[in-house]
Amino acid sequence: MQELLTAMLNRGLVLPGTKPMQASLLPAIFTPAALAQLCINFCLEIGCVDFLFQSLYPLFLTNKVHYSFLMHLIPFILESKINNLPPKILDNLFEFCISQSRKQLLEQCIYHLNPASLQDSKVLSLCREQKLVGCLFYLYGNLPNSDYTTPLRDVEDLLPLLREHKHIGALVLKYISSCLLGLCFQTNTPIPPAKLYDLRVEVTRYLFIPLLPPDPREFPRLYYLAKFDTATLLKALVPTYNLHTVIAGTPLSCQRMAEILINVIVDKNMIATPSLFGSVSATASSRHDFTVEQQGHLFAFLARYFSKDIITLPPAILSLILHGYLCSPHVLKPFQVTPSSSVSAADLRLQNEQILTEMLPKLLKSSYDVHKLLLLAEGVEFFSVAERIYMHLQNFPKVISTRLKNPQEKTAAFELIQKLYENSALTERQKLDIKASVMQNLPALLQIDSNRLSQLVIEFFAADYQQVLLQLADQPQLQHSFLEQIMSQEGKKMLEKNGIRIAPETHVLYLTLLCQYSSDSVLGYLSSCDDYPLDECIKIVQKHKLMDAELFLLERTGDLSAALTRMIQTIGSQIEGLKLFYRQLHSTSSVQVDQVFPVHTEEKQLTSSLNRAITLCQRNTNRLQDSEVESLWFTLLDTVIIPLRSLKHNKWAAKKITASSSESVTLTAHEASNRSMLKALTYLTNLILTNMMGNVKLTLLLQKIVRDHGKDEFGDLKLVILGVLETYAYETEILKTAQSLLLKDVYYATDSLLRHQQRPLTPKSPNCAMCGRSLLATQNQQVPDTVVFGCGHAVHFSCNPFSESCHLCAQSVKTKKEKPLHPAPRPTSNSTIPAPGVTVSAPAAQASKWQMETYLNRLSRISTSRCLTGITTPDDDDTGKATPKPVFLPKTTAPKMIYRTTPLDPPMYIRSLLENEQNP
């Protein structure tokens, strides 16, 4: 491939004077430029860059078309695809770029080449000849074991001319900044730490050299660079000041460099008279070479490191800096480490204030006149500075008022007040001053955040919340905002925690303000609170015509008739308003019989009022007597029924329209309004009757319908009547079903109870648990009456007469509630059979407690008495001997006692009812 490419170049590159036919063997597209592009791409693709420069490039050079080759080579260098060039090609590249006046392009190419590959070429000398300062800095700054100050000395003759060569001045300052930052020029790779110390010392000494003959100026290099761009030079010195310990052992300490900068840049006349600062223009004066703006950059730089306690400043310079910040903030721009876009006047002011605030701690420790500084700060509204000075003077009321004046910090006033009040080092007198200041600035604090102010007052001034209300008496809106937080749930809890109870007068005031500024919240407040005086609150809501709140209060006082009367009045007025609305609606156009109208606002309002009245009646139905409930509902019904009956007897409303389906009958305005009113009142009547069905006896409801509409057609009330009858049938069916279920439950509960009553218990011992005597009958003694408890203890009846529980178990659980004992299992074939004459107690039923409580009341007919009787043996039955006399216990005997074992049948009436249900 390499041979083919070489052959193609030999045929394609035509020497001057060669016959054209030799070049015509290749297509016309193979020009020198195209061949150069092809060769470079091919060699980079196969990785044979040496072949490109050693074999192919000489062909271009021989045919004198190497400029085309170099022109196409430059993009690959700028893309870092080629970073090493042979010396010959590099010299040709210099020659080509200089001949084309493209020095800047040449600099960019050198920045992308490996500095080590340029060390043996003529590049350095060519850069000096062509004054390629950037290339010199790149080569010296990136070569190993290089002298970093040599390129600076190479351009030293250009320093006085930096105004005319701004590009060179910017490169010099950039190179100095890179060296002091510890980075290689242009590549930004870190310089080895072993060389960094010496590098910074060398560069710093270069800048601050005192004399440079034949220039008569002191510190000429520093002077020319500062004159060119003061701000950039000071930014380049920032690493030296941030790492001031690096050169602390050298003669050029940070303090010494600051003194030199002041000596070079600052006008001596301004030092003598600080008021001159800012009075001259920003251009250079006739007596000094540095403008006020350039001096301002230095002052900002010095202020930055003065606040960090890196340097100290003489009083004259300090006064000049403070005068500049306080009296000429537009001139004294803040010093920034990183470049930024232009800032607005407001941002500039904030940054200056921030720098001055950072200087304050050191200023307050010095002998500077603090009161003078305070006057100047307040004069230019540097509130952060003034606040810190007042804090230093312990003038806490002024601290609070100054914080409130600061637009950036006023939201943090609450934290400041809390911090001051919680400071244990303050005296009671100082805390009283803080409290007085808070009371004085209440409106301003309330406008910032009413919630946080209320929390602050509750936490620290809970007993004085009424004084706060008095302070805000002439500002009712702020008063409302404050009370809104006080009356919240959190506010009430905090007041109760401090032992403060809200006075009734406060409730009245809050309700009044709610009616004025937040009427929608009145009902929610009244329903969530109960400490307000009802009579005064009723007058307030009546005054502001808040009907919902008035009805709630009337209902709360128990005056339901007044509440309903108030609602009926509203409904009546709305009915009259609806009549007038229909008349106006139908007076402008004709109306067809079957025409449908949309629902209007007046109709919605009337329906809403009626629904509120219905809700009032439903809410109070369960706590009123039947007669009161009927009166309440029928009064509401009459509100709609009476106008409906009068309208039905109107000849225009009752008029029948007879027309075929194909005809359209037109009504007059009066007829149309009456028909619309009839339809609306009928709907409202049905609405009331529908809601009455679950609250009023159905018989009374039907009587009301028949009595009021007995002479009318029931077409309008057909659905209501059918609903009443349907409801009646449904309730009847429900009652029957409930009765059937109840009878089943009673039957099965009775049967379960009887089965459990028939279970005998086996005593744990044949001896009495109380006296120790035998429970069995002997030859000479009769069988004693015996009681067996569910716990297994057996005693003589004479030892524990008429006791409902085991005396032994009761003593062991005196402090605990006695738990129900489970009965012993049914006796098996191996169980011990009680002896003749032993009386057995009844065990507890296994039903749950709520079942027992429910059914025992229903079983009073069964359990009218409970008895204990002896158990007879078959021999006794055969001989006909009488059993021991039964002992009857009271009706309240505990269910742990066993009743007699003779099975008892369920009550006959229960059995008969169940049989009738199963066999209807």
Side-chain angles (χ1 to χ4, degrees):
M1 291 297 294
Q2 294 177 358
E3 294 176 356
L4 290 175
L5 186 60
T6 304
M8 185 178 65
L9 286 179
N10 288 327
R11 289 179 177 272
L13 297 175
V14 182
L15 292 171
T18 307
K19 293 181 180 180
M21 52 187 285
Q22 295 179 355
S24 64
L25 298 176
L26 292 173
I29 59 171
F30 286 95
T31 61
L35 290 172
Q37 184 76 22
L38 176 64
C39 293
I40 295 171
N41 284 326
F42 175 75
C43 292
L44 288 176
E45 190 69 26
I46 64 175
C48 294
V49 180
D50 294 338
F51 173 71
L52 174 67
F53 294 141
Q54 295 174 7
S55 301
L56 300 183
Y57 178 73
L59 296 176
F60 285 91
L61 186 63
T62 304
N63 291 277
K64 298 182 179 180
V65 289
H66 58 287
Y67 280 2
S68 296
F69 180 87
L70 294 174
M71 185 181 301
H72 288 83
L73 183 66
I74 288 174
F76 292 93
I77 297 174
L78 296 179
E79 293 176 2
S80 299
K81 293 182 178 179
I82 297 176
N83 52 17
N84 291 289
L85 292 177
K88 182 63 176 177
I89 298 178
L90 190 59
D91 294 340
N92 292 336
L93 181 63
F94 263 83
E95 180 184 351
F96 166 71
C97 291
I98 292 171
S99 64
Q100 299 290 328
S101 299
R102 305 180 73 175
K103 293 183 179 180
Q104 190 173 2
L105 180 62
L106 178 61
E107 286 184 354
Q108 295 298 322
C109 290
I110 293 176
Y111 291 159
H112 289 81
L113 294 175
N114 185 6
S117 66
L118 308 176
Q119 194 172 8
D120 299 331
S121 64
K122 301 178 183 179
V123 174
L124 292 175
S125 59
L126 290 173
C127 289
R128 289 189 181 95
E129 291 176 6
Q130 300 297 327
K131 297 181 180 179
L132 298 177
V133 178
C135 296
L136 288 174
F137 291 154
Y138 175 73
L139 295 175
Y140 278 99
N142 290 276
L143 287 175
N145 303 320
S146 61
D147 183 6
Y148 290 93
T149 59
T150 299
L152 291 173
R153 294 187 179 92
D154 290 340
V155 298
E156 196 168 272
D157 296 337
L158 298 176
L159 291 181
L161 305 175
L162 291 181
R163 289 288 182 180
E164 290 77 20
H165 302 83
K166 294 183 178 180
H167 176 64
I168 296 176
L171 289 173
V172 171
L173 291 174
K174 183 179 179 181
Y175 178 73
I176 293 173
S177 177
S178 299
C179 292
L180 294 178
L181 283 171
L183 301 174
C184 293
F185 182 77
Q186 203 66 31
T187 60
N188 291 331
T189 56
I191 296 174
K195 300 173 60 177
L196 189 56
Y197 177 82
D198 294 335
L199 167 63
R200 284 174 173 157
V201 172
E202 288 178 12
V203 173
T204 306
R205 285 177 174 171
Y206 168 82
L207 283 174
F208 289 89
I209 187 169
L211 295 174
L212 191 63
D215 197 320
R217 300 179 184 275
E218 291 184 350
F219 306 99
R221 293 168 179 165
L222 185 67
Y223 171 84
Y224 290 122
L225 290 174
K227 181 68 176 174
F228 171 70
D229 193 343
T230 307
T232 306
L233 175 63
L234 294 174
K235 290 171 188 174
L237 293 175
V238 166
T240 305
Y241 275 81
N242 289 343
L243 302 171
H244 59 282
T245 55
V246 174
I247 57 174
T250 66
L252 285 173
S253 63
C254 292
Q255 181 66 34
R256 177 57 185 159
M257 286 191 292
E259 294 172 357
I260 295 173
L261 288 170
I262 293 172
N263 186 42
V264 172
I265 298 176
V266 179
D267 188 358
K268 306 301 186 292
N269 295 325
M270 287 187 179
I271 297 176
T273 310
S275 60
L276 291 176
F277 186 75
S279 61
V280 296
S281 62
T283 59
S285 65
S286 59
R287 295 174 295 173
H288 195 63
D289 295 336
F290 289 90
T291 64
V292 175
E293 184 178 358
Q294 288 176 317
Q295 296 178 63
H297 287 305
L298 176 61
F299 292 153
F301 177 84
L302 297 175
R304 175 186 180 90
Y305 294 102
F306 173 79
S307 62
K308 294 183 178 181
D309 207 12
I310 295 176
I311 62 174
T312 59
L313 296 175
I317 297 297
L318 196 57
S319 299
L320 193 59
I321 292 175
L322 295 176
H323 190 274
Y325 275 118
L326 294 171
C327 301
S328 304
H330 61 285
V331 176
L332 194 60
K333 294 184 178 180
F335 176 76
Q336 297 176 342
V337 177
T338 57
S340 63
S341 58
S342 58
V343 294
S344 61
D347 294 336
L348 179 62
R349 176 187 177 84
L350 288 176
Q351 293 177 12
N352 285 339
E353 184 178 4
Q354 179 63 29
I355 294 174
L356 194 56
T357 304
E358 294 174 357
M359 293 175 62
L360 265 181
K362 197 169 180 181
L363 285 173
L364 296 175
K365 295 178 182 178
S366 66
S367 59
Y368 193 81
D369 190 354
V370 176
H371 296 283
K372 180 181 178 181
L373 179 61
L374 179 60
L375 290 175
L376 292 173
E378 287 184 330
V380 295
E381 296 183 351
F382 276 11
F383 298 113
S384 297
V385 178
E387 178 187 330
R388 282 160 177 77
I389 296 174
Y390 280 126
M391 186 69 76
H392 175 73
L393 299 174
Q394 293 192 345
N395 191 345
F396 300 114
K398 280 290 187 179
V399 171
I400 297 172
S401 60
T402 306
R403 175 66 65 90
L404 292 174
K405 293 177 183 177
N406 191 345
Q408 284 75 34
E409 297 289 335
K410 63 181 181 180
T411 55
F414 302 98
E415 288 82 356
L416 173 65
I417 296 170
Q418 183 175 359
K419 183 179 179 180
L420 289 175
Y421 214 81
E422 290 178 347
N423 189 355
S424 59
L426 299 184
T427 63
E428 290 298 326
R429 179 60 184 173
Q430 289 173 328
K431 290 185 177 181
L432 289 175
D433 292 340
I434 295 172
K435 178 180 176 181
S437 178
V438 171
M439 295 299 176
Q440 185 179 358
N441 293 283
L442 277 175
L445 290 169
L446 197 57
Q447 287 180 348
I448 295 171
D449 194 335
S450 59
N451 185 18
R452 297 175 71 181
L453 175 61
S454 61
Q455 292 178 358
L456 184 70
V457 170
I458 293 172
E459 186 174 358
F460 298 106
F461 320 117
D464 301 313
Y465 81 93
Q466 290 184 336
Q467 183 180 352
V468 176
L469 294 175
L470 292 176
Q471 290 280 346
L472 301 173
D474 55 343
Q475 302 182 51
Q477 286 188 339
L478 297 180
Q479 205 175 38
H480 168 254
S481 300
F482 175 73
L483 275 175
E484 200 167 30
Q485 304 301 326
I486 291 290
M487 303 301 288
S488 64
Q489 295 295 331
E490 294 181 0
K492 290 180 180 179
K493 289 180 181 179
M494 293 179 69
L495 283 176
E496 291 177 358
K497 185 179 179 180
N498 290 292
I500 306 298
R501 186 176 180 84
I502 299 176
E505 297 80 7
T506 306
H507 285 284
V508 173
L509 175 61
Y510 181 55
L511 180 60
T512 305
L513 295 172
L514 275 181
C515 294
Q516 293 177 4
Y517 300 107
S518 183
S519 57
D520 296 337
S521 305
V522 171
L523 185 58
Y525 161 69
L526 293 174
S527 58
S528 62
C529 183
D530 54 0
D531 297 336
Y532 47 81
L534 291 174
D535 295 337
E536 295 184 31
C537 292
I538 290 174
K539 293 178 182 178
I540 292 171
V541 297
Q542 286 176 346
K543 178 181 177 182
H544 292 86
K545 298 180 181 179
L546 300 176
M547 191 181 70
D548 291 341
E550 180 184 355
L551 295 176
F552 175 81
L553 292 175
L554 290 173
E555 184 180 357
R556 185 166 183 177
T557 58
D559 195 356
L560 297 179
S561 59
L564 187 60
T565 302
R566 180 72 178 86
M567 298 192 76
I568 288 173
Q569 291 174 357
T570 303
I571 294 172
S573 61
Q574 289 178 344
I575 290 175
E576 294 299 325
L578 188 62
K579 287 181 182 179
L580 181 60
F581 169 75
Y582 283 143
R583 289 173 187 172
Q584 295 175 353
L585 178 66
H586 300 306
S587 62
T588 57
S589 61
S590 59
V591 181
Q592 303 298 326
V593 172
D594 56 352
Q595 187 172 351
V596 179
F597 294 95
V599 180
H600 300 284
T601 305
E602 288 75 6
E603 296 171 343
K604 293 180 181 179
Q605 291 176 353
L606 179 57
T607 305
S608 177
S609 299
L610 188 63
N611 282 326
R612 287 200 298 270
I614 291 172
T615 304
L616 173 67
C617 296
Q618 289 176 339
R619 201 164 46 240
N620 295 277
T621 295
N622 294 330
R623 57 179 184 174
L624 296 177
Q625 299 293 331
D626 291 343
S627 59
E628 294 175 336
V629 172
E630 295 167 8
S631 174
L632 199 66
W633 281 101
F634 287 141
T635 302
L636 178 61
L637 183 61
D638 289 339
T639 307
V640 182
I641 285 288
I642 293 174
L644 178 62
R645 291 181 62 189
S646 63
L647 193 62
K648 279 186 175 182
H649 291 86
N650 189 294
K651 61 180 180 179
W652 299 105
K655 181 179 178 180
K656 295 182 180 180
I657 305 299
T658 58
S660 62
S661 59
S662 60
E663 295 178 353
S664 179
V665 180
T666 303
L667 302 177
T668 64
H670 190 61
E671 290 174 339
S673 63
N674 284 341
R675 279 188 168 275
S676 299
M677 196 66 197
L678 179 64
K679 188 181 296 184
L681 291 177
T682 302
Y683 168 75
L684 297 178
T685 304
N686 291 337
L687 182 63
I688 297 175
L689 291 172
T690 302
N691 286 279
M692 287 177 67
M693 279 190 281
N695 300 284
V696 181
K697 293 181 180 179
L698 299 179
T699 55
L700 294 176
L701 189 57
L702 290 174
Q703 289 176 8
K704 177 71 175 178
I705 295 174
V706 172
R707 183 174 63 252
D708 292 343
H709 299 272
K711 297 180 181 180
D712 301 330
E713 295 181 359
F714 289 99
D716 297 333
L717 302 176
K718 178 181 178 181
L719 294 178
V720 178
I721 295 174
L722 290 178
V724 172
L725 297 176
E726 222 174 275
T727 303
Y728 179 78
Y730 176 74
E731 290 181 355
T732 303
E733 190 65 27
I734 286 292
L735 290 174
K736 289 181 179 179
T737 304
Q739 184 183 16
S740 172
L741 294 175
L742 181 61
L743 292 176
K744 284 184 180 181
D745 289 347
V746 171
Y747 176 80
Y748 290 125
T750 305
D751 182 63
S752 176
L753 180 63
L754 291 176
R755 279 190 275 108
H756 284 292
Q757 287 175 340
Q758 293 170 2
R759 292 181 184 178
L761 288 178
T762 304
K764 292 181 179 179
S765 172
N767 298 326
C768 176
M770 298 291 290
C771 65
R773 291 180 298 158
S774 176
L775 299 173
L776 304 178
T778 60
Q779 296 180 355
N780 300 325
Q781 293 181 355
Q782 191 178 2
V783 178
D785 291 339
T786 305
V787 179
V788 180
F789 296 99
C791 60
H793 291 128
V795 295
H796 292 116
F797 182 77
S798 58
C799 296
N800 192 24
F802 301 102
S803 177
E804 300 179 3
S805 60
C806 177
H807 183 68
L808 297 175
C809 294
Q811 287 182 345
S812 62
V813 288
K814 287 182 180 180
T815 59
K816 297 181 181 180
K817 185 177 179 180
E818 183 182 1
K819 299 181 180 179
L821 297 174
H822 296 287
R826 293 179 180 273
T828 59
S829 58
N830 297 328
S831 302
T832 305
I833 301 176
V838 176
T839 305
V840 184
S841 175
Q846 294 298 313
S848 62
K849 182 178 179 180
W850 66 271
Q851 290 175 323
M852 293 299 299
E853 291 177 352
T854 303
Y855 295 125
L856 284 177
N857 294 330
R858 301 175 182 173
L859 302 179
S860 59
R861 184 176 299 180
I862 299 173
S863 49
T864 53
S865 63
R866 298 185 177 122
C867 64
L868 296 171
T869 182
I871 300 178
T872 58
T873 61
D875 296 338
D876 292 333
D877 290 336
D878 293 340
T879 55
K881 291 183 179 180
T883 59
K885 294 181 179 181
V887 178
F888 294 92
L889 293 179
K891 181 180 177 180
T892 58
T893 303
K896 295 178 182 178
M897 311 293 287
I898 295 183
Y899 303 104
R900 60 176 182 164
T901 58
T902 304
L904 294 178
D905 293 332
M908 294 303 297
Y909 77 95
I910 297 178
R911 180 182 296 174
S912 62
L913 286 173
L914 292 175
E915 290 175 354
N916 291 337
E917 181 183 359
Q918 295 173 359
N919 302 312

